[in-house]
C-alpha cells in the first residue's frame, strides 16, 4: 500500500471523528470474533512437536496449556493480530502458557495500517517502550498504552521469557468503524431482479431484496435469466465503509450461495459508480462455501459511500442467492442536511422532502390569486434543511385569505412514506423560554389540528377537499394535552402510504373568540 493511500485512509478516519471512544474493551481475541486467519506469527512451534502450540491459541483465557509458541528462542520473534478495521488501542492483556514453565517476561509493541509500514509504541523518552510481561505462566497482566495509538495491525515482539517464548494476548481499545450499518429497518435494499427459489416448497422465502439482511433466514435471489445480477444496500448518510459479510440461502433444502462477487459503490444511484479495487485492479471477493457460515471481508482501502452493490460472478445452484451485511462508521451527533433522526437515539435516515419544490395555497405572503398553488421562498423554508426556530426562517400557514390553508411538497416521484417530523415555532424566546410579543403567538394558540395527507395527484384548484380524503390521510396531531405545541412533532402514518405529493393542512379551534389561526412550520422532514 502506498504512502498516499495510507494518508488518505488516515484522513477518512480523522474526518469522521471516529475516535471519540466512550470506553475501551477487548477487541475480539477472547470472544473469537477475531478469526484464526487474522492471527499470524514470525514462526510457530510445529504441530507435530506440540499440538497445543498454535497461533489460533494465542488468546487470553484459552483452555489447558494451549498458546502460541515461537519456533525459536529468539528476541526477533513476534505474533501479529489483524483487527480487520483500524482501532484506537489503549492497552493489552498478556498471559503465559499456563503450564508452569513458559511465559514472556518483557515485550515490545508495534502497529501498522497496512502490515508494511510499522511504528513502535514509545515511552515518555520517545524510545521504544519495553513492556513488563508476566511473572508466572497463568496470571493475566494488563498493560496500559498511555497515549492510545491508531492501527489495524498489532505485533507483540518477545524480548525476554521464562522457559520458552509462549504467550496468549488480547488487545484493548475501541473500533467505532466496525459497526453494522446494513440493518433493518434503516438500511434500504434493492436489486436488479428478484425471484423465489422455490415457491411451492418454501412459500415463506420470497427471494426479494428485503430478505437479503444478514439477520434473516432467507436470502435475496436473482432471476435465472438475469445476466448481470446485483444487490444494492443504501446505508443512509455517506460514511466510511470498512467491511462486508455474506451468507447463503438459509432455511431451504436446496443449496444456494454465492462463491465470488465484485463490489462497486457510489453516493447517488445515478452515479458515478466506482469499482472496488486493490493494487490497481478490480478485486474479486471469495464468498461462501456453504449456506450457513458468515464470510467477512475487511477492506484494505476503506472508502466513503452511501450505496454499495454486490455483483455475484459465481454461485452454487441455478441462481445467485445471498444475504449481505456492511460495516463501517455510524453517523454520530447531528445528522447532515438531507437526513434526520426520527427518534433521539435512532440512526440518521434520508429526509425525502429535503430541497424539494414546495407550495402553499395562501396569498398572504405573496401576490397571487386566492386558491392558486404557488411556490415561494416562504414555502421553501420548510424544506431547506435549516431547523432554526426563528419565525423569519419558517413557513407560515394561516386562514386570513383561505378557509383551509395547505402546504405541499413535491417529492419528485411516487415514493413510500412512513411518517413526517415537523419542527415548529412556538412563539417563545429560545434562551428564556418566555413568550415573545407577536400576534402570531396568539394566532398559533388558536391552532387545533395539523393533518398530513399523501396523494399521487397535484391539486392546483380551490377544491382542496379533493386532497383531504380519508384514503389519503397519513395521520394527524391535535392540541389535546398540548401535543400540537411541541417543538418537534412526529406523525407516523397509520398505514403504509405511497405518493408523490405530501400535504399538511392546518385547522383552527372553533370555540375561540378570534377565528384567525396560524401554523408555523420551520422544517418538514419525511421518511420512508
Amino acid at each position: 500500500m502506498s504512502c498516499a493511500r495510507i494518508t488518505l485512509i488516515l484522513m477518512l478516519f480523522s474526518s469522521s471523528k471516529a475516535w471519540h471512544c466512550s470506553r475501551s474493551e477487548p477487541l475480539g481475541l477472547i470472544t473469537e470474533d477475531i478469526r484464526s486467519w487474522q492471527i499470524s506469527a514470525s514462526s510457530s512451534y510445529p504441530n507435530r512437536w506440540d499440538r497445543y502450540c498454535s497461533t489460533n491459541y494465542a488468546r487470553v483465557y484459552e483452555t489447558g496449556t494451549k498458546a502460541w509458541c515461537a519456533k525459536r528462542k529468539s528476541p526477533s520473534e513476534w505474533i501479529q493480530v489483524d483487527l480487520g478495521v483500524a482501532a484506537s488501542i489503549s492497552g493489552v492483556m498478556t498471559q503465559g502458557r499456563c503450564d508452569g514453565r513458559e511465559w514472556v517476561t518483557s515485550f515490545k509493541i508495534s502497529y501498522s495500517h497496512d502490515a508494511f509500514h510499522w511504528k513502535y509504541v514509545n515511552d515518555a523518552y520517545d524510545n521504544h517502550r519495553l513492556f513488563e510481561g508476566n511473572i508466572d505462566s497463568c496470571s493475566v497482566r494488563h498493560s496500559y498504552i498511555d497515549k492510545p495509538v491508531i492501527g489495524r495491525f498489532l505485533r507483540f515482539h518477545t524480548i525476554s521469557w521464562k522457559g520458552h517464548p509462549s504467550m496468549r494476548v488480547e488487545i484493548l481499545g475501541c473500533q467505532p468503524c466496525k459497526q453494522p450499518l446494513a440493518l433493518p429497518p434503516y438500511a434500504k435494499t434493492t436489486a436488479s431482479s428478484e425471484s423465489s427459489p422455490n415457491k411451492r416448497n418454501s412459500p415463506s422465502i420470497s427471494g426479494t431484496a428485503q430478505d437479503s439482511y444478514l439477520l434473516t433466514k432467507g436470502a435475496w435471489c436473482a432471476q435465472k435469466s438475469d445476466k448481470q445480477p446485483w444487490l444494492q444496500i443504501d446505508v443512509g448518510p455517506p460514511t466510511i465503509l470498512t467491511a462486508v459479510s455474506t451468507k447463503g440461502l438459509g432455511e431451504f433444502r436446496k443449496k444456494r450461495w454465492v462463491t465470488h462477487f465484485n463490489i462497486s459503490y457510489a453516493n447517488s444511484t445515478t452515479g458515478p459508480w466506482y469499482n472496488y479495487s486493490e493494487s490497481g485492479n478490480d478485486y474479486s471477493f471469495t464468498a461462501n462455501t456453504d449456506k450457513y457460515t458468515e464470510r467477512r471481508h475487511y477492506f484494505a482501502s476503506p472508502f466513503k459511500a452511501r450505496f454499495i452493490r454486490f455483483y455475484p460472478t459465481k454461485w452454487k445452484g441455478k441462481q445467485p442467492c445471498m444475504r449481505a451485511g456492511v460495516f463501517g462508521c455510524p453517523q454520530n451527533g447531528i445528522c447532515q442536511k438531507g437526513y434526520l433522526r426520527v427518534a433521539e437515539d435512532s440512526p440518521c435516515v434520508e429526509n425525502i422532502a429535503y430541497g424539494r419544490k414546495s407550495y402553499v395555497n395562501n396569498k398572504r405572503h405573496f401576490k397571487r390569486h386566492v386558491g392558486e398553488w404557488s411556490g415561494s421562498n416562504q414555502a421553501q423554508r420548510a424544506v431547506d434543511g435549516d431547523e432554526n426556530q426563528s419565525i423569519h426562517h419558517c413557513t407560515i400557514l394561516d386562514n386570513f385569505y383561505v378557509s383551509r390553508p395547505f402546504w405541499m411538497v413535491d417529492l419528485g416521484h411516487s415514493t413510500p412514506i412512513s411518517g413526517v417530523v415537523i419542527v415548529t415555532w412556538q412563539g417563545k424566546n429560545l434562551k428564556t423560554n418566555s413568550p415573545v410579543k407577536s400576534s402570531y403567538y396568539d394566532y398559533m394558540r388558536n391552532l387545533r389540528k395539523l393533518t398530513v395527507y399523501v396523494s399521487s395527484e397535484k391539486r392546483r384548484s380551490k377544491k382542496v377537499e379533493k386532497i383531504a380524503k380519508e384514503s389519503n390521510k397519513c395521520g394527524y396531531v391535535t392540541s389535546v394535552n398540548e401535543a400540537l405545541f411541541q417543538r418537534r412533532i412526529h406523525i407516523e402514518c397509520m398505514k403504509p402510504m405511497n405518493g408523490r405529493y405530501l400535504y399538511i393542512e392546518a385547522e383552527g379551534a372553533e370555540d375561540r373568540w378570534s377565528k384567525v389561526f396560524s401554523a408555523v412550520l420551520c422544517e418538514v422532514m419525511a421518511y420512508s
Side-chain angles (χ1 to χ4, degrees):
M1 184 182 291
S2 67
C3 292
R5 172 60 69 179
I6 296 173
T7 302
L8 177 60
I9 292 173
L10 288 171
M11 289 175 62
L12 280 173
F13 283 118
S14 61
S15 64
S16 69
K17 300 180 181 179
W19 309 114
H20 292 183
C21 300
S22 58
R23 64 176 183 174
S24 181
E25 57 189 9
L27 295 182
L29 282 159
I30 296 173
T31 61
E32 298 191 23
D33 186 47
I34 293 176
R35 310 296 172 83
S36 58
W37 60 266
Q38 294 174 254
I39 310 172
S40 57
S42 55
S43 69
S44 292
Y45 213 61
N47 185 262
R48 65 180 182 276
W49 295 355
D50 191 332
R51 61 192 179 95
Y52 295 117
C53 287
S54 169
T55 54
N56 189 43
Y57 298 151
R59 306 172 187 271
V60 168
Y61 304 126
E62 186 59 88
T63 59
T65 60
K66 295 177 180 178
W68 165 69
C69 317
K71 185 177 182 180
R72 294 172 292 273
K73 296 181 180 181
S74 167
S76 63
E77 299 292 332
W78 48 259
I79 183 167
Q80 174 181 304
V81 180
D82 175 4
L83 296 171
V85 175
S88 176
I89 303 165
S90 59
V92 296
M93 298 166 65
T94 58
Q95 187 180 25
R97 193 174 174 183
C98 227
D99 63 349
R101 299 188 304 272
E102 299 176 8
W103 64 89
V104 171
T105 57
S106 66
F107 60 94
K108 293 182 179 181
I109 292 176
S110 62
Y111 59 97
S112 171
H113 281 280
D114 61 353
F116 292 102
H117 303 84
W118 293 87
K119 292 182 179 180
Y120 277 87
V121 174
N122 288 343
D123 58 20
Y125 304 99
D126 207 27
N127 298 317
H128 295 174
R129 178 179 170 183
L130 184 66
F131 288 83
E132 295 295 331
N134 297 88
I135 58 174
D136 58 46
S137 70
C138 214
S139 62
V140 177
R141 176 153 188 165
H142 172 207
S143 300
Y144 286 98
I145 296 176
D146 295 330
K147 294 182 179 180
V149 297
I150 297 175
R152 170 177 169 175
F153 300 88
L154 199 77
R155 280 182 181 175
F156 295 81
H157 302 263
T158 59
I159 303 301
S160 61
W161 54 87
K162 176 72 174 179
H164 192 88
S166 302
M167 68 188 310
R168 304 168 181 171
V169 299
E170 177 60 282
I171 302 169
L172 305 174
C174 71
Q175 289 178 294
C177 288
K178 195 181 176 182
Q179 304 302 311
L181 301 178
L183 295 176
Y186 309 108
K188 307 299 181 183
T189 56
T190 53
S192 57
S193 64
E194 299 173 334
S195 175
S196 173
N198 191 323
K199 295 181 180 179
R200 183 183 62 183
N201 293 335
S202 299
S204 62
I205 300 177
S206 64
T208 62
Q210 70 176 3
D211 288 328
S212 65
Y213 299 107
L214 283 178
L215 300 177
T216 70
K217 295 183 179 180
W220 159 73
C221 296
Q223 293 181 3
K224 297 176 183 178
S225 59
D226 192 343
K227 301 300 182 182
Q228 292 184 316
W230 51 260
L231 172 68
Q232 175 180 295
I233 300 177
D234 176 0
V235 300
T239 189
I240 298 172
L241 307 183
T242 57
V244 292
S245 281
T246 58
K247 281 185 176 182
L249 176 58
E251 295 186 353
F252 186 61
R253 62 183 181 83
K254 292 186 177 180
K255 298 178 180 180
R256 296 280 193 277
W257 61 82
V258 171
T259 59
H260 294 81
F261 64 91
N262 296 335
I263 278 178
S264 67
Y265 56 93
N267 284 319
S268 169
T269 53
T270 58
W273 286 88
Y274 302 95
N275 295 332
Y276 178 78
S277 62
E278 292 186 8
S279 302
N281 299 313
D282 292 351
Y283 189 79
S284 177
F285 293 85
T286 301
N288 302 91
T289 56
D290 60 51
K291 61 183 180 180
Y292 295 115
T293 306
E294 179 182 341
R295 180 70 184 270
R296 184 173 298 185
H297 289 275
Y298 295 102
F299 298 134
S301 303
F303 52 86
K304 190 172 186 178
R306 172 181 172 180
F307 299 95
I308 184 169
R309 280 184 182 176
F310 297 78
Y311 296 88
T313 55
K314 297 180 182 179
W315 52 85
K316 176 73 173 180
K318 295 182 178 180
Q319 63 196 124
C321 295
M322 70 186 303
R323 290 172 280 175
V326 182
F327 300 82
C329 308
Q331 181 83 31
N332 295 317
I334 299 174
C335 298
Q336 57 188 269
K337 283 191 175 183
Y339 297 88
L340 77 149
R341 295 187 194 276
V342 179
E344 185 176 343
D345 295 327
S346 64
C348 296
V349 296
E350 184 182 12
N351 171 14
I352 57 178
Y354 171 68
R356 297 292 184 176
K357 291 183 178 180
S358 56
Y359 308 83
V360 290
N361 69 337
N362 184 349
K363 80 165 188 177
R364 175 174 173 78
H365 303 284
F366 48 86
K367 306 300 181 182
R368 291 295 178 98
H369 296 293
V370 176
E372 183 175 332
W373 293 89
S374 302
S376 70
N377 290 334
Q378 197 271 137
Q380 206 68 28
R381 292 171 190 165
V383 289
D384 61 2
D386 184 1
E387 295 186 29
N388 190 320
Q389 286 183 274
S390 169
I391 194 170
H392 302 293
H393 293 82
C394 305
T395 296
I396 300 172
L397 290 180
D398 57 41
N399 65 333
F400 273 95
Y401 293 95
V402 292
S403 59
R404 302 184 69 175
F406 271 81
W407 174 88
M408 176 184 73
V409 61
D410 180 356
L411 301 177
H413 56 85
S414 184
T415 185
I417 299 174
S418 297
V420 175
V421 174
I422 305 172
V423 178
T424 65
W425 177 80
Q426 293 301 320
K428 294 182 180 180
N429 187 297
L430 295 180
K431 294 182 179 180
T432 64
N433 201 37
S434 58
V436 298
K437 294 181 179 180
S438 171
S439 57
Y440 279 110
Y441 179 76
D442 296 324
Y443 300 156
M444 182 201 65
R445 299 302 297 186
N446 289 341
L447 192 63
R448 184 183 70 87
K449 186 178 184 180
L450 286 178
T451 306
V452 176
Y453 298 95
V454 177
S455 175
S456 295
E457 297 184 18
K458 184 177 181 180
R459 297 296 181 184
R460 288 187 172 274
S461 68
K462 297 180 183 179
K463 298 179 180 179
V464 291
E465 61 272 8
K466 291 186 177 181
I467 301 167
K469 297 187 297 185
E470 195 66 28
S471 60
N472 291 338
K473 185 183 291 185
C474 162
Y476 62 89
V477 61
T478 70
S479 57
V480 175
N481 293 331
E482 300 289 297
L484 188 56
F485 305 117
Q486 305 296 319
R487 175 190 178 274
R488 189 179 176 94
I489 300 171
H490 177 207
I491 301 176
E492 188 172 1
C493 292
M494 297 178 287
K495 58 184 178 181
M497 305 293 292
N498 200 82
R500 174 173 174 174
Y501 303 98
L502 186 147
Y503 299 85
I504 296 179
E505 179 188 18
E507 298 179 44
E510 298 178 355
D511 57 348
R512 301 294 290 267
W513 67 271
S514 173
K515 302 300 181 183
V516 178
F517 62 87
S518 293
V520 184
L521 313 178
C522 296
E523 194 68 23
V524 177
M525 299 172 281
Y527 62 94
S528 297

